Amino acid sequence: MDRLMRLVGIAVVIFIAAPLVIVVPMSFSDARSLQFPPPGYWLGYYQAYFTDVSWLRPTWNSIIIAAATTVLTMALVVPACFALVRHRFKGKSIADLMMLMPLAVPHIVIAVGYYSFLGDLRLVHTHLGVVLAHTCLSVPIAFLVLSANLKGFDRNLERAAQSLGASPVQTFLHVTLPILRPGLVISALFAFIQSFDETVVAIFISGRDAETLPRKMFDSIRQEADPVIAVISTLLFVAVLLAVIAPFAWRGIRSRFARTALPAPSPAGR
């Protein structure tokens, strides 16, 4: 039974990773469109991506918009989580439902609504409009992650700090925040990824000046299937892989330095 479960797990991993593995060699292809297996290999499409303003501008737009969305999302989610998790008030269940509503509504419906609402405010085709729309989509995901961490928080630690003379601000900075830091980091990461990968709303809201990378990729693959898309996919895959490996590498480096910093044991009898 264990062997069967291992085989099933390996099959699932291969099924999920196969498209990623195929994209990597396609990024080095010399074909004029997306083709697998590649007829030949070169680095021309990498050069085309890093030298073409029509690709670099949407990339920087996506990074700037995702970063701004992350900041705004966390500024809204953190106080909302503390209010909804730790306090009871009239209309709390409705507030919980409204926080999670964007997860239940199709993105195409949300995009049409945002287009109409932001159009009246003259924020369509602007960076601010895209940031506001992406924030509404990122809030539920960040809220779920952070609220789960906050519900498992032991408030006796805060009470102990305050009983020892710590002020509420000191308690939050030195007790609550360090314990919740992993949840805050994960929430911010999910908010960034949600904004960076979002396509449907960006098609409606973003314009030429605020064009995002997913929208540019969608337009490109719809018109000509530009192999530069495989280059971008490969770079994003490598970035995610490095982000996953980096914490483990950092722990290994810290443990190695900690071992070398320990004093050598003195010989017995001295």
Side-chain angles (χ1 to χ4, degrees):
M1 186 64 181
D2 293 341
R3 186 175 182 181
L4 177 61
M5 295 303 295
R6 292 178 183 176
L7 292 176
V8 172
I10 293 173
V12 171
V13 171
I14 293 175
F15 177 78
I16 295 175
L20 301 176
V21 176
I22 291 176
V23 166
V24 174
M26 288 173 62
S27 66
F28 297 97
S29 173
D30 61 356
R32 294 186 176 181
S33 61
L34 296 173
Q35 181 178 345
F36 185 84
Y41 296 93
W42 73 327
L43 296 175
Y45 291 117
Y46 280 88
Q47 181 181 1
Y49 170 71
F50 286 107
T51 57
D52 192 348
V53 178
S54 65
W55 283 106
L56 294 179
R57 184 176 60 249
T59 302
W60 283 112
N61 284 339
S62 290
I63 294 174
I64 294 171
I65 291 172
T69 299
T70 301
V71 174
L72 184 56
T73 298
M74 298 308 296
L76 297 173
V77 165
V78 173
C81 280
F82 276 90
L84 293 174
V85 173
R86 292 191 170 183
H87 301 281
R88 293 184 178 181
F89 53 89
K90 187 177 181 179
K92 178 180 176 180
S93 59
I94 298 178
D96 276 323
L97 180 62
M98 295 302 295
M99 291 289 292
L100 302 178
M101 185 63 71
L103 293 178
V105 180
H107 279 200
I108 185 66
V109 177
I110 294 178
V112 174
Y114 289 161
Y115 181 81
S116 177
F117 177 75
L118 295 175
D120 294 337
L121 299 176
R122 297 183 180 180
L123 293 177
V124 175
H125 301 168
T126 65
H127 288 77
L128 179 58
V130 180
V131 169
L132 293 176
H134 283 185
T135 299
C136 295
L137 299 176
S138 301
V139 162
I141 300 175
F143 175 77
L144 286 175
V145 175
L146 188 56
S147 61
N149 282 266
L150 193 58
K151 289 178 181 178
F153 184 86
D154 187 3
R155 299 199 65 181
N156 290 325
L157 299 174
E158 294 178 335
R159 297 187 183 99
Q162 292 177 359
S163 66
L164 295 174
S167 65
V169 175
Q170 291 175 331
T171 302
F172 177 80
L173 293 177
H174 299 288
V175 177
T176 307
L177 187 60
I179 297 176
L180 294 179
R181 185 179 293 120
L184 292 170
V185 172
I186 295 174
S187 299
L189 180 61
F190 280 169
F192 185 91
I193 294 174
Q194 167 67 27
S195 175
F196 193 89
D197 289 343
E198 205 286 320
T199 306
V200 178
V201 174
I203 292 175
F204 282 79
I205 304 300
S206 66
R208 179 180 179 182
D209 295 333
E211 183 182 26
T212 62
L213 184 60
R215 174 179 174 170
K216 172 66 176 177
M217 295 174 68
F218 175 81
D219 292 339
S220 179
I221 199 170
R222 183 182 61 179
Q223 296 173 2
E224 54 183 345
D226 193 343
V228 175
I229 297 174
V231 173
I232 300 171
S233 301
T234 301
L235 294 175
L236 293 177
F237 172 69
V238 172
V240 172
L241 188 63
L242 292 177
V244 172
I245 296 176
F248 298 97
W250 176 246
R251 290 178 184 176
I253 294 174
R254 289 185 61 183
S255 61
R256 179 175 298 180
F257 276 106
R259 288 195 298 267
T260 56
L262 291 175
S266 58
R270 294 187 181 179

